[in-house]
Amino acid sequence: MKKQETQENQELRRETEKKGFTYEQPEDAAGKDMVCEAAAQYAYKRQGEYTLEDYYALPDERRVELIDGIFYDMASPYTTHQIASAEIWRQLAEFIRGKGGSCRALFAPVDVQLDCDDKTMVQPDILVLCDREKLIKRCIYGAPDFVIEILSDSTARKDMTVKLWKYLGAGVREYWIVDLQQEKVIVHDKTGGDCRTSIYGMDQPVPVQIFEGKCQIRFEEICEEVRAIRAK
C-alpha cells in the first residue's frame, strides 16, 4: 500500500508551491532521477517494498539511496559539485571548531537512517549533527540538525521534492538546496517551529540558522572557481 503523505508534509508542499519554486530540468535521461538498476536483482519485490536488508546486500561500489522502500541511483558528482561541497564543509567545520562546539559537520558518503526504520537510508551531501547519541558506527541513526544538498542533473528533482518532505518531516531543523547553476541557495528553516523558506543569491553570505546566524557561508570564491571550470 502506498504510504500516505503526512498532514505536515502536505502543508510544507503547499507552502513551497505557493512561493513558486520551479526548476526546469533537462529532458534527456541524464536530467531525471534514476530508479536504481540494481533493484533488478530483487525482481521478487516491487519499488516501495525494499528494505535495509536489500540496501546492505548491494555491491559496495553501487551508490544508492533508499527512500520509502524505493531505490535511487546516485551518479558520480561533477568536480564543481565536489569543490562546492568541500568548501562549504570546511567553513562549517572551522566555525564549529572555533566555537568549541559539540556539533559535528560531515560530508557524503555517510549513511543516515533518517526515519529510524528499515525503509529509508539517505546520503546527504553535507550535514551537521549536534546530538552525538545519533552517531553510531554504521550510520547516523535519526535526523541530523542541518542538511545541504547540492543540485546536480541526476538528483535535482529528488532533492527539490522527495528529500524536502522527508528531511523536514523527519525533524531536520534546516535544509539548504544549493543551486550552482542559478547561483542561488534555497533555505528551508524550521528552527522556530514553523517552516520558513528564503532564497539567497551567492553574492552574499548565507546565515546558518541552527547557529542563530552567527555562522555564515560565503559562496563568492566557490562561484568564481565553478565559473572558471565551466568555461573550459
Side-chain angles (χ1 to χ4, degrees), residues 11-215:
E11 292 173 355
L12 289 171
R13 174 171 52 78
R14 285 194 294 268
E15 182 65 24
T16 302
E17 289 173 350
K18 280 194 298 183
K19 293 180 181 292
F21 295 149
T22 57
Y23 280 74
E24 293 199 9
Q25 301 301 320
E27 291 301 322
D28 59 347
K32 300 179 180 178
D33 289 335
M34 297 176 293
V35 174
C36 184
E37 294 176 2
Q41 66 179 289
Y42 300 107
Y44 61 91
K45 289 187 177 181
R46 295 177 297 178
Q47 285 286 8
E49 296 180 351
Y50 296 107
T51 67
L52 292 185
E53 181 180 3
D54 304 315
Y55 178 83
Y56 286 122
L58 293 173
D60 291 340
E61 65 273 13
R62 172 73 76 171
R63 276 196 70 200
V64 304
E65 290 184 304
L66 177 67
I67 302 177
D68 290 332
I70 297 173
F71 276 128
Y72 293 88
D73 264 319
M74 299 178 68
S76 296
Y78 291 152
T79 55
T80 50
H81 181 288
Q82 294 301 82
I83 287 167
S85 180
E87 176 59 20
I88 296 168
W89 173 84
R90 182 192 66 79
Q91 293 186 42
L92 286 167
E94 287 185 354
F95 174 84
I96 294 169
R97 188 179 301 112
K99 296 295 183 181
S102 61
C103 300
R104 170 71 73 176
L106 299 169
F107 54 86
V110 59
D111 281 345
V112 176
Q113 195 170 343
L114 191 64
D115 296 324
C116 300
D117 64 9
D118 69 342
K119 301 287 283 185
T120 297
M121 187 73 86
V122 293
Q123 293 187 2
D125 288 325
I126 306 164
L127 64 87
V128 173
L129 180 70
C130 296
D131 182 357
R132 293 293 189 94
E133 292 299 313
K134 295 180 180 179
L135 186 58
I136 63 177
K137 183 177 180 180
R138 65 179 175 81
C139 69
I140 291 171
Y141 189 72
D145 296 85
F146 176 67
V147 168
I148 294 177
E149 296 287 5
I150 301 170
L151 295 185
S152 62
D153 288 346
S154 63
T155 66
R157 191 168 300 169
K158 179 178 61 175
D159 292 342
M160 294 286 292
T161 56
V162 177
K163 280 192 166 182
L164 170 62
W165 319 131
K166 288 299 295 183
Y167 285 144
L168 298 185
V172 172
R173 295 194 289 143
E174 187 171 0
Y175 175 39
W176 289 15
I177 300 172
V178 173
D179 187 341
L180 297 174
Q181 184 78 26
Q182 298 191 31
E183 297 189 1
K184 293 181 180 180
V185 181
I186 302 174
V187 174
H188 299 283
D189 171 24
K190 287 190 72 177
T191 57
D194 295 332
C195 183
R196 300 178 60 185
T197 302
S198 305
I199 303 177
Y200 294 84
M202 291 185 178
D203 57 346
Q204 59 184 309
V206 182
V208 180
Q209 299 303 329
I210 65 165
F211 297 134
E212 300 177 339
K214 296 175 183 177
C215 174

